Amino acid sequence: MKILVPVKRVVDYNVKVRVKPDGSDVDLANVKMSMNPFDEIAVEQAVRLKEAGVASEVVVVSAGVANCQETLRTAMATGADRGILIQTDGELQPLAVARLLKAVCEKEQPQIVFCGKQAIDDDANQTGQMLAGLLNWPQATFVSKVAVAGDQATVTREIDSGLETVEVRLPAVLTADLRLNEPRYATLPNIMKAKKKPLETLTPAALGVDVTARLKTLKVAEPAKRTAGIKVADAADLVLKLKTEAKVI
Ligand code: AMP
């Protein structure tokens, strides 16, 4: 069984992002980029399924600029077998990525596509769902536990009212939630080995996919600065201040 894991190169989660002075976008100049954390979790799960003898190959795919190769190499250093870069310099919105992934699925015929539940840059939470729709495959999103037997995956999802268990027939799209696992670190020998693993480069045109943006960003702004908090003397003082100063009750 082949598992395809889409991995996105995003601004590192430790970076405090800056908005460009013209408000057109986030400033990515000289900013540390890393693999989207939910995609690290998806790679880890795919590798664990391979180690358990359920999967035979883990293929990672990234769409974006040439530097996405680094993200693919990182995934290969933690156990993925090979990488596919779909190289393009333009903006990629979730529908375009889903279309690219559909084309890769038609070529690679994976049994599971294991996405992250969302990318921490656009917070879209759309790509996996759109891909399942385009492929007409079942989907199980926000996966916090998974077991695969035959052509069936049993998935636990964290939902507001507790834990939900669903079964999906494979091939299917799964999306990884935070508590699915704790990804391993890449060791130096594995980083070296990953440099020799196969990495294929494709383009949207070669896959026959039009990636023209459908949505226009009107403005990007930083959140309002938070003002300093105050200490209240007692409950009565709190109620008074909520009434007279904050005017929320
Ligand atoms: P999003 O819908 O943008 O929140 O992204 C959800 C998931 O789709 C990510 O966690 C990745 O698994 C995948 N994905 C999104 N964009 C890309 C990309 N450019 N390249 C590879 N995978 C992507």
Side-chain angles (χ1 to χ4, degrees), residues 167-221:
E167 277 184 352
V168 286
R169 207 178 357 91
L170 304 180
V173 177
L174 311 182
T175 76
D177 207 341
L178 190 64
R179 278 172 287 275
L180 178 59
N181 61 48
E182 210 168 298
R184 70 195 71 183
Y185 289 102
T187 60
L188 191 58
N190 285 343
I191 293 172
M192 300 313 288
K193 271 189 221 153
K195 289 183 200 277
K196 296 207 179 86
K197 290 189 178 177
L199 198 162
E200 182 185 4
T201 301
L202 301 170
T203 60
L207 291 168
V209 178
D210 174 11
V211 291
T212 313
R214 301 291 181 94
L215 305 170
K216 188 174 163 209
T217 303
L218 301 180
K219 190 176 166 216
V220 178

Side-chain angles (χ1 to χ4, degrees), residues 6 94-95 97-98 101 113-119 124-141 172-176:
L95 180 58
V97 177
L101 294 175
V113 180
F114 220 135
C115 292
K117 75 164 177 180
Q118 75 191 62
N125 177 235
Q126 293 173 353
T127 309
Q129 293 88 329
M130 285 177 168
L131 175 64
L134 292 173
L135 289 166
N136 200 21
W137 285 6
Q139 59 175 301
T141 54
V173 177
L174 311 182
T175 76

Side-chain angles (χ1 to χ4, degrees), residues 6-8 36 39 61-63 94 97 115-116 118-119 122 124-127:
V7 293
K8 186 174 188 186
N36 183 43
D39 305 352
V61 53
S62 191
V97 177
C115 292
Q118 75 191 62
D122 60 17
N125 177 235
Q126 293 173 353
T127 309

